Amino acid sequence: MRAAPLAGGAPGPEQLRPLLDTVLDALRAGAEDRGGPLPAGGPRAVAHQVREALGEALPEDGTGGAEALYAVVRAVTAGAADPAHPLCAAHLHTPPLALAAAADLAASVLNPSLDSWDQAPAASVLEELVTAALAAEAFPAAPRPDALVTTGGTESNQLALLLARERGGTVRTLVGANAHHSFRRAAWLLGLPEPVLVPAPNGTMDPAALEQALTDLPGPLLVAATAGTTDAGLVDPLPEIAELCAVHGGADLHVDAAYGGPLLFSDRHRPLLAGLDRARTVTVDLHKLGWQPAAAGLLAVRDADDLAVLGHSADYLNADDDTDAGLPDLLGRSLRTTRRPDVLKTAVTLRALGRSGLGALVDACMALAEELAERIEKAPGLELYARPTLTTVLFRPYGAPDDTVAGIRRTLLAEGRAVLGRATADGRLWLKATLLNPHATPGDLAQIITLVEGGIDR
């Protein structure tokens, strides 16, 4: 049997070329099969379609590369939630830029592993340059900022707690009631006390309640604020929180800006992140308002010296004599060992679009959220939770019980007509539209409202 061809090396591109045509054909056919933002029929129908397309998961004899590639990619595409569809607006699930997806193909073909220089000579340099530039966006006045590439907000938040623990021992984390669930999991994994919940009566951390908690609790303390809540896209009062941290015993501040962090690229909306640069660590996800294929997370630190505690030795990867001879030591750049060059797609995107290009995409999505909110306010049968801060809009039918709201959402999902999220606020269930597609149109927004209004009458 002839050995399967490889993607890399000089012959690799010619081996890939016909397969890329196969993938593109399968993506097109699968999208036509699906016909909308989500496959119709619900979980059972999707599971049946995938089983039929896959057949035996591990057959004795294979079917051949092109056939398998086409069949499986078409089935997964047909059964996918398509974040590029303007009516797929439930989660922080971004449509990736075509340019970034193409660059990600190169990362897969070259397959560098960023755990030693001899596996990733160029990629390690690229990561150093790009992370330095992005860290400087978060901490423009800091003399030595740095950033680590992560798989996303959960890993970044866990790293922030780990760094705080290594600085101060058994640190107590104070989080708003609006904070991401990853802080509880991180505290559990790191053997730290359960985070202290600070009230967030209006959806953002209450500074008065935080001040009382900082007064009552012994140190060391880490305050974790949020710039872009998952449910409503709200931003905690960062300047007040930073000032309270400085006044009360020098408590450290971490900001989870996984959602809102890319507002740094927008001249218009960057002021929403005032106070971010006073944090010690900041989480940012570029697979949200950065339009990168997952994963593209970052943990930015104000002082690169804070990362020294992540240093680790493995003789086959960073032997002392190799390091002394000038080979870069990469093991302290992550808790992972094998690590793909996720920075490549980001580097290409930053060079191609620049700060202004990315800022324009951010501005477009922010404007869409404002327009959707205005349309909801004018719709007599719908209620708007609040004007949006970022790109999340919460709304519901006037006077409808929660089970009706949930039923409208599930019906739209089952029919494959729209993908809306859900969030609880003010003790009620709301529909959530998270607008991350800069190509969406006013007509798409009107269709979201029409579909929800149609669900009320069922």
Side-chain angles (χ1 to χ4, degrees):
M1 178 178 179
R2 182 174 175 267
L6 301 177
E14 293 311 311
Q15 299 292 344
L16 276 171
R17 199 174 303 279
L19 296 176
L20 293 181
D21 287 339
T22 299
V23 166
L24 296 175
D25 289 344
L27 287 170
R28 183 182 300 109
E32 292 170 354
D33 294 341
R34 185 181 62 247
L38 198 74
R44 289 187 179 180
V46 174
H48 174 75
Q49 291 163 7
V50 171
R51 289 192 187 99
E52 287 292 307
L54 182 63
E56 189 177 354
L58 182 59
E60 184 64 31
D61 296 308
T63 59
E67 189 280 335
L69 184 63
Y70 183 85
V72 177
V73 171
R74 180 174 180 173
V76 171
T77 304
D82 180 11
H85 194 290
L87 300 187
C88 187
H91 303 286
L92 292 165
H93 182 195
T94 192
L97 295 169
L99 183 75
D104 213 28
L105 170 64
S108 293
V109 169
L110 296 170
N111 207 27
S113 182
L114 282 153
D115 50 315
S116 66
W117 182 87
D118 58 353
Q119 298 176 85
S124 61
V125 179
L126 191 68
E127 182 175 271
E128 179 183 358
L129 296 172
V130 172
T131 52
L134 292 172
E137 288 293 307
F139 302 108
R144 294 187 65 248
D146 200 354
L148 302 179
V149 174
T150 71
T151 54
T154 295
E155 183 185 349
S156 295
N157 289 338
Q158 182 181 343
L159 274 170
L161 264 66
L162 173 62
L163 295 178
R165 187 192 71 181
E166 295 305 293
R167 288 193 303 268
T170 307
V171 64
R172 296 293 300 268
T173 307
L174 289 78
V175 302
N178 58 345
H180 195 260
H181 63 83
S182 58
F183 289 107
R184 295 193 301 275
R185 178 172 289 185
W188 169 63
L189 286 169
L190 294 168
L192 295 174
E194 180 84 6
V196 176
L197 284 183
V198 178
N202 297 312
T204 58
M205 187 186 290
D206 180 10
L210 175 61
E211 182 172 24
Q212 188 62 55
L214 289 170
T215 301
D216 294 343
L217 291 171
L221 301 175
L222 176 72
V223 176
T226 304
T229 60
T230 304
D231 278 351
L234 303 178
V235 178
D236 285 339
L238 300 181
E240 294 174 72
I241 293 171
E243 187 62 24
L244 287 172
C245 289
V247 169
H248 284 267
D252 283 336
L253 173 62
H254 169 69
V255 177
D256 178 5
Y259 180 6
L263 267 65
L264 291 169
F265 300 126
S266 166
D267 291 339
R268 180 178 178 184
H269 297 292
R270 186 185 181 113
L272 286 170
L273 300 180
L276 182 81
D277 59 337
R278 298 181 65 182
R280 190 154 187 169
T281 51
V282 173
T283 288
V284 179
D285 276 359
L286 294 175
H287 52 241
K288 294 184 171 70
L289 279 174
W291 298 278
Q292 300 297 290
L298 291 168
L299 178 70
V301 298
R302 190 171 58 205
D303 187 347
D305 288 343
D306 281 355
L307 300 177
V309 297
L310 299 178
H312 184 70
S313 296
D315 193 59
Y316 74 105
L317 294 174
N318 62 347
D320 288 344
D321 59 322
D322 279 349
T323 302
D324 292 342
L327 295 183
D329 178 0
L330 304 182
L331 280 187
R333 304 292 301 174
S334 177
L335 296 181
R336 293 170 284 151
T337 304
T338 300
R339 189 162 60 87
R340 78 189 303 270
D342 286 318
V343 75
L344 176 55
K345 59 203 173 196
T346 301
V348 171
T349 300
L350 295 178
R351 174 165 177 171
L353 300 185
R355 184 186 291 103
S356 62
L358 281 168
L361 296 178
V362 170
D363 293 347
C365 290
M366 298 282 278
L368 285 168
E370 284 290 341
E371 180 164 346
L372 178 59
E374 290 175 3
R375 288 173 176 268
I376 290 168
E377 286 182 323
K378 295 175 182 176
L382 297 179
E383 177 183 1
L384 179 70
Y385 173 66
R387 301 293 295 196
T389 301
L390 299 183
T391 69
T392 299
V393 181
L394 302 185
F395 65 106
R396 71 193 316 277
Y398 265 117
D402 284 355
D403 59 353
T404 297
V405 177
I408 290 172
R409 174 180 175 270
R410 285 194 292 268
T411 297
L412 293 174
L413 292 178
E415 295 175 352
R417 301 177 73 186
V419 190
L420 296 174
R422 54 185 288 163
T424 299
D426 289 347
R428 294 183 291 166
L429 184 66
W430 299 78
L431 297 171
K432 177 173 69 170
T434 308
L435 301 175
L436 296 177
N437 187 338
H439 295 288
T441 67
D444 298 324
L445 304 181
Q447 191 173 358
I448 290 174
I449 291 175
T450 298
L451 288 171
V452 172
E453 289 176 329
I456 299 171
D457 300 328
R458 293 190 179 189

XYZ file of all heavy atoms in Angstrom, residues 209-278:
500
model
N -19.466 47.670 47.601
C -19.379 46.319 48.149
C -17.949 45.797 48.063
O -17.479 45.084 48.962
C -20.327 45.396 47.396
N -17.250 46.147 46.992
C -15.853 45.736 46.874
C -15.015 46.380 47.968
O -14.157 45.726 48.581
C -15.312 46.112 45.495
C -13.817 45.857 45.279
C -13.479 44.383 45.420
C -13.366 46.399 43.921
N -15.233 47.663 48.221
C -14.466 48.348 49.254
C -14.680 47.690 50.615
O -13.734 47.508 51.385
C -14.849 49.822 49.318
C -14.042 50.591 50.348
C -14.284 52.075 50.295
O -15.350 52.490 49.815
O -13.381 52.833 50.723
N -15.922 47.292 50.891
C -16.193 46.638 52.170
C -15.471 45.294 52.245
O -14.883 44.943 53.274
C -17.695 46.429 52.332
C -18.101 45.922 53.709
C -17.747 46.887 54.815
O -18.129 48.053 54.777
N -16.988 46.423 55.807
N -15.489 44.537 51.144
C -14.814 43.241 51.132
C -13.306 43.407 51.292
O -12.652 42.637 52.019
C -15.130 42.504 49.836
N -12.724 44.407 50.633
C -11.287 44.651 50.768
C -10.931 45.064 52.189
O -9.837 44.762 52.681
C -10.845 45.735 49.785
C -10.826 45.343 48.299
C -10.606 46.574 47.432
C -9.766 44.296 48.021
N -11.840 45.752 52.861
C -11.611 46.166 54.246
C -11.680 44.981 55.199
O -10.885 44.870 56.138
C -12.654 47.218 54.660
O -12.547 48.350 53.783
C -12.432 47.679 56.092
N -12.598 44.061 54.930
C -12.858 42.967 55.861
C -11.912 41.780 55.695
O -11.646 41.062 56.666
C -14.300 42.468 55.694
C -15.329 43.505 56.107
O -14.950 44.462 56.818
O -16.502 43.368 55.702
N -11.421 41.555 54.480
C -10.667 40.330 54.210
C -9.172 40.540 54.417
O -8.621 41.565 53.997
C -10.914 39.865 52.777
C -12.311 39.335 52.459
C -12.465 39.130 50.967
C -12.575 38.020 53.197
N -8.486 39.555 55.017
C -7.026 39.634 55.099
C -6.401 39.305 53.745
O -6.989 38.609 52.920
C -6.679 38.563 56.135
C -7.788 37.559 56.013
C -9.030 38.341 55.676
N -5.198 39.807 53.503
C -4.496 39.524 52.246
C -3.817 38.179 52.278
O -3.858 37.482 53.293
N -3.192 37.797 51.182
C -3.128 38.517 49.912
C -4.439 38.411 49.125
O -5.142 37.401 49.212
C -1.982 37.842 49.172
C -1.975 36.440 49.714
C -2.386 36.550 51.150
N -4.747 39.448 48.341
C -6.010 39.515 47.621
C -5.767 39.816 46.142
O -4.857 40.561 45.786
C -6.906 40.620 48.209
C -7.283 40.488 49.689
C -8.059 41.718 50.143
C -8.090 39.224 49.935
N -6.601 39.214 45.309
C -6.606 39.487 43.872
C -8.030 39.834 43.480
O -8.942 39.018 43.667
C -6.134 38.280 43.065
C -6.207 38.436 41.535
C -5.138 39.401 41.045
C -6.061 37.081 40.832
N -8.232 41.028 42.973
C -9.542 41.435 42.477
C -9.594 41.137 40.980
O -8.718 41.573 40.223
C -9.802 42.927 42.737
C -11.132 43.361 42.127
C -9.770 43.216 44.230
N -10.606 40.385 40.561
C -10.780 40.048 39.149
C -11.993 40.792 38.614
O -13.140 40.431 38.919
C -10.940 38.539 38.965
N -11.756 41.834 37.868
C -12.830 42.611 37.255
C -13.092 42.085 35.846
O -12.304 41.316 35.288
C -12.456 44.091 37.226
N -14.205 42.528 35.271
C -14.612 42.039 33.953
C -14.830 43.200 33.005
O -15.516 44.167 33.340
C -15.913 41.209 34.051
O -15.721 40.140 34.980
C -16.288 40.627 32.704
N -14.262 43.093 31.806
C -14.507 44.062 30.734
C -15.181 43.320 29.588
O -14.520 42.868 28.654
C -13.215 44.729 30.295
N -16.491 43.165 29.728
C -17.262 42.416 28.744
C -17.833 41.154 29.353
O -17.274 40.073 29.186
N -18.951 41.278 30.075
C -19.549 40.103 30.699
C -20.159 39.199 29.639
O -20.602 39.647 28.577
C -20.622 40.508 31.718
O -21.648 41.261 31.046
C -20.025 41.352 32.836
N -20.192 37.913 29.944
C -20.701 36.932 28.989
C -22.189 37.128 28.728
O -22.650 36.975 27.598
C -20.452 35.507 29.519
O -19.056 35.360 29.789
C -20.883 34.470 28.514
N -22.955 37.473 29.746
C -24.401 37.562 29.587
C -24.850 38.832 28.887
O -25.716 38.801 28.019
C -25.092 37.467 30.952
C -25.256 36.024 31.410
O -25.002 35.114 30.607
O -25.642 35.817 32.575
N -24.301 39.980 29.280
C -24.827 41.240 28.763
C -23.774 42.145 28.141
O -24.100 43.237 27.676
C -25.549 42.005 29.881
N -22.503 41.723 28.132
C -21.461 42.550 27.531
C -21.203 43.833 28.283
O -20.902 44.866 27.688
N -21.252 43.775 29.617
C -21.062 44.963 30.440
C -19.610 45.072 30.890
O -18.888 44.071 30.942
C -21.986 44.921 31.657
C -23.486 44.801 31.343
C -24.293 44.730 32.624
C -23.949 45.961 30.471
N -19.192 46.284 31.235
C -17.820 46.554 31.673
C -17.859 47.074 33.096
O -18.543 48.067 33.396
C -17.127 47.569 30.746
C -15.719 47.880 31.241
C -17.077 47.037 29.308
N -17.143 46.410 33.991
C -17.049 46.875 35.373
C -16.409 48.266 35.425
O -15.639 48.635 34.521
C -16.205 45.905 36.206
C -16.933 44.616 36.558
O -18.177 44.610 36.518
O -16.254 43.620 36.882
N -16.681 49.046 36.475
C -16.065 50.375 36.612
C -14.576 50.256 36.938
O -14.155 50.352 38.091
C -16.859 51.011 37.756
C -17.372 49.863 38.555
C -17.632 48.755 37.570
N -13.775 50.080 35.912
C -12.364 49.749 36.101
C -11.573 50.838 36.827
O -10.750 50.512 37.699
C -11.715 49.447 34.748
C -12.319 48.282 33.950
C -11.560 48.079 32.646
C -12.313 46.996 34.767
N -11.760 52.139 36.527
C -10.974 53.140 37.264
C -11.235 53.105 38.761
O -10.288 53.199 39.564
C -11.426 54.460 36.639
C -11.883 54.092 35.263
C -12.541 52.751 35.433
N -12.507 52.969 39.160
C -12.816 52.921 40.592
C -12.247 51.662 41.238
O -11.712 51.702 42.352
C -14.326 52.972 40.794
C -14.975 54.277 40.371
C -16.483 54.203 40.467
O -17.003 54.200 41.598
O -17.143 54.130 39.405
N -12.354 50.553 40.538
C -11.843 49.290 41.082
C -10.331 49.359 41.225
O -9.758 48.928 42.248
C -12.274 48.112 40.186
C -13.795 47.929 40.265
C -11.557 46.828 40.582
C -14.346 46.941 39.251
N -9.650 49.885 40.215
C -8.194 50.004 40.288
C -7.773 50.887 41.450
O -6.790 50.587 42.158
C -7.656 50.565 38.973
N -8.505 51.978 41.677
C -8.168 52.874 42.770
C -8.369 52.185 44.118
O -7.546 52.334 45.035
C -9.012 54.138 42.683
C -8.614 55.222 43.678
C -7.198 55.719 43.479
O -6.659 55.610 42.353
O -6.598 56.205 44.468
N -9.442 51.419 44.253
C -9.687 50.695 45.503
C -8.580 49.674 45.761
O -8.141 49.493 46.910
C -11.043 49.998 45.452
C -12.269 50.908 45.556
C -13.539 50.112 45.286
C -12.328 51.556 46.941
N -8.112 49.002 44.713
C -7.020 48.031 44.877
C -5.756 48.740 45.362
O -5.026 48.205 46.217
C -6.749 47.314 43.558
S -8.034 46.161 43.054
N -5.497 49.915 44.824
C -4.293 50.647 45.215
C -4.386 51.131 46.655
O -3.392 51.118 47.395
C -4.080 51.827 44.272
N -5.564 51.554 47.078
C -5.727 52.122 48.408
C -5.727 51.053 49.495
O -5.157 51.236 50.577
C -7.031 52.951 48.470
C -7.368 53.337 49.914
C -6.891 54.196 47.603
N -6.344 49.920 49.211
C -6.525 48.888 50.232
C -5.392 47.859 50.170
O -5.546 46.766 49.624
C -7.879 48.210 50.063
C -9.015 49.048 50.537
N -9.521 48.972 51.810
C -9.721 50.024 49.911
C -10.507 49.836 51.945
N -10.649 50.486 50.802
N -4.267 48.242 50.707
C -3.183 47.271 50.896
C -2.539 46.798 49.624
O -1.871 45.755 49.620
N -2.739 47.517 48.540
C -2.085 47.090 47.304
C -2.584 45.772 46.757
O -1.812 44.986 46.196
N -3.892 45.505 46.900
C -4.450 44.292 46.292
C -4.195 44.325 44.789
O -4.313 45.367 44.143
C -5.946 44.205 46.584
N -3.837 43.184 44.234
C -3.579 43.123 42.800
C -4.889 43.121 42.024
O -5.928 42.654 42.514
C -2.779 41.872 42.457
C -1.307 42.013 42.814
O -0.821 43.152 42.890
O -0.654 40.971 43.026
N -4.838 43.620 40.803
C -6.008 43.672 39.927
C -5.748 42.862 38.669
O -4.727 43.042 37.996
C -6.333 45.122 39.556
C -7.446 45.324 38.503
C -8.772 44.766 38.999
C -7.572 46.808 38.149
N -6.677 41.972 38.366
C -6.699 41.264 37.091
C -7.978 41.670 36.373
O -9.038 41.783 36.999
C -6.684 39.746 37.311
C -6.981 38.960 36.059
N -6.114 38.913 34.991
C -8.065 38.212 35.702
C -6.633 38.156 34.037
N -7.826 37.721 34.441
N -7.902 41.900 35.084
C -9.089 42.231 34.301
C -9.311 41.149 33.255
O -8.441 40.888 32.418
C -8.964 43.608 33.616
C -10.206 43.877 32.758
C -8.808 44.712 34.661
N -10.479 40.528 33.337
C -10.887 39.567 32.320
C -11.544 40.348 31.184
O -12.736 40.659 31.229
C -11.856 38.551 32.919
C -12.367 37.549 31.893
O -11.900 37.586 30.739
O -13.247 36.729 32.252
N -10.741 40.686 30.184
C -11.226 41.410 29.015
C -11.248 40.493 27.799
O -10.959 40.916 26.673
C -10.355 42.641 28.750
N -11.579 39.213 28.042
C -11.633 38.260 26.935
C -12.547 38.764 25.830
O -12.230 38.670 24.640
C -12.110 36.900 27.453
N -13.686 39.339 26.212
C -14.639 39.863 25.241
C -14.277 41.294 24.838
O -14.102 41.602 23.656
C -16.029 39.785 25.878
C -17.209 40.275 25.074
C -17.121 40.680 23.748
C -18.472 40.311 25.675
C -18.235 41.116 23.048
C -19.597 40.746 24.981
C -19.477 41.158 23.671
O -20.585 41.587 22.992
N -14.111 42.171 25.801
C -13.962 43.587 25.495
C -12.565 44.045 25.139
O -12.399 45.165 24.624
N -11.553 43.228 25.376
C -10.175 43.660 25.163
C -9.867 44.218 23.789
O -9.146 45.222 23.660
N -10.399 43.625 22.705
C -10.084 44.163 21.381
C -10.625 45.563 21.112
O -10.308 46.152 20.073
C -10.714 43.127 20.433
C -10.651 41.847 21.201
C -10.980 42.266 22.609
N -11.409 46.140 22.029
C -11.772 47.553 21.887
C -10.537 48.443 21.925
O -10.594 49.614 21.525
C -12.749 47.976 22.983
C -14.240 47.876 22.635
C -14.664 46.432 22.418
C -15.094 48.533 23.706
N -9.415 47.898 22.378
C -8.160 48.644 22.351
C -7.788 49.080 20.933
O -7.070 50.062 20.749
C -7.029 47.785 22.930
C -7.080 47.493 24.429
C -6.063 46.421 24.789
C -6.835 48.761 25.239
N -8.276 48.362 19.920
C -7.953 48.711 18.536
C -8.796 49.878 18.020
O -8.488 50.432 16.965
C -8.164 47.506 17.610
C -7.333 46.310 17.958
C -7.927 45.071 18.172
C -5.956 46.401 18.074
C -7.165 43.958 18.490
C -5.183 45.297 18.396
C -5.789 44.062 18.607
N -9.872 50.220 18.722
C -10.828 51.222 18.243
C -10.592 52.564 18.940
O -10.742 52.671 20.160
C -12.260 50.750 18.506
O -13.183 51.804 18.344
N -10.261 53.587 18.178
C -10.104 54.917 18.766
C -11.408 55.394 19.394
O -11.404 56.070 20.431
C -9.652 55.921 17.705
C -8.230 55.667 17.228
O -7.470 55.005 17.960
O -7.883 56.113 16.121
N -12.516 55.032 18.781
C -13.817 55.496 19.260
C -14.222 54.830 20.564
O -14.762 55.475 21.461
C -14.880 55.241 18.187
C -16.262 55.699 18.602
C -17.286 55.466 17.501
N -18.612 55.869 17.909
C -19.704 55.701 17.177
N -19.623 55.147 15.971
N -20.888 56.088 17.621
N -13.980 53.528 20.673
C -14.515 52.777 21.807
C -13.475 52.405 22.855
O -13.830 51.892 23.922
C -15.217 51.515 21.303
C -16.404 51.806 20.442
N -17.555 52.376 20.935
C -16.613 51.639 19.113
C -18.438 52.529 19.958
N -17.878 52.098 18.838
N -12.216 52.675 22.585
C -11.165 52.380 23.563
C -11.414 53.003 24.936
O -11.082 52.395 25.963
C -9.818 52.830 23.000
C -8.613 52.453 23.851
C -7.317 53.040 23.282
N -6.186 52.641 24.087
C -5.218 51.836 23.683
N -5.236 51.344 22.454
N -4.218 51.513 24.478
N -12.018 54.215 25.025
C -12.265 54.785 26.351
C -13.109 53.914 27.275
O -13.058 54.098 28.499
C -12.973 56.109 26.022
C -12.434 56.496 24.679
C -12.297 55.199 23.952
N -13.878 52.982 26.730
C -14.638 52.066 27.585
C -13.721 51.218 28.455
O -14.164 50.665 29.472
C -15.525 51.155 26.732
C -16.772 51.786 26.118
C -17.408 50.836 25.118
C -17.766 52.169 27.209
N -12.459 51.102 28.064
C -11.490 50.292 28.811
C -10.582 51.154 29.685
O -9.528 50.678 30.130
C -10.647 49.454 27.848
C -11.411 48.470 26.965
C -10.447 47.712 26.064
C -12.235 47.497 27.803
N -10.961 52.387 29.957
C -10.164 53.239 30.840
C -9.940 52.528 32.166
O -10.863 51.970 32.757
C -10.873 54.566 31.068
N -8.694 52.537 32.640
C -8.333 51.847 33.870
C -7.750 50.471 33.653
O -7.157 49.887 34.564
N -7.902 49.934 32.440
C -7.362 48.599 32.147
C -5.861 48.549 32.377
O -5.322 47.553 32.874
C -7.678 48.233 30.696
C -7.231 46.845 30.228
C -8.238 45.798 30.686
C -7.109 46.804 28.702
N -5.171 49.626 32.034
C -3.711 49.631 32.125
C -3.209 49.668 33.569
O -2.010 49.549 33.804
C -3.143 50.819 31.349
C -3.646 52.159 31.858
O -4.727 52.190 32.488
O -2.973 53.173 31.618
N -4.120 49.814 34.533
C -3.719 49.777 35.939
C -3.747 48.355 36.500
O -3.375 48.135 37.654
C -4.610 50.699 36.758
C -4.501 52.158 36.348
C -5.368 53.063 37.194
N -4.915 53.089 38.591
C -5.522 53.780 39.554
N -6.614 54.490 39.268
N -5.059 53.755 40.790
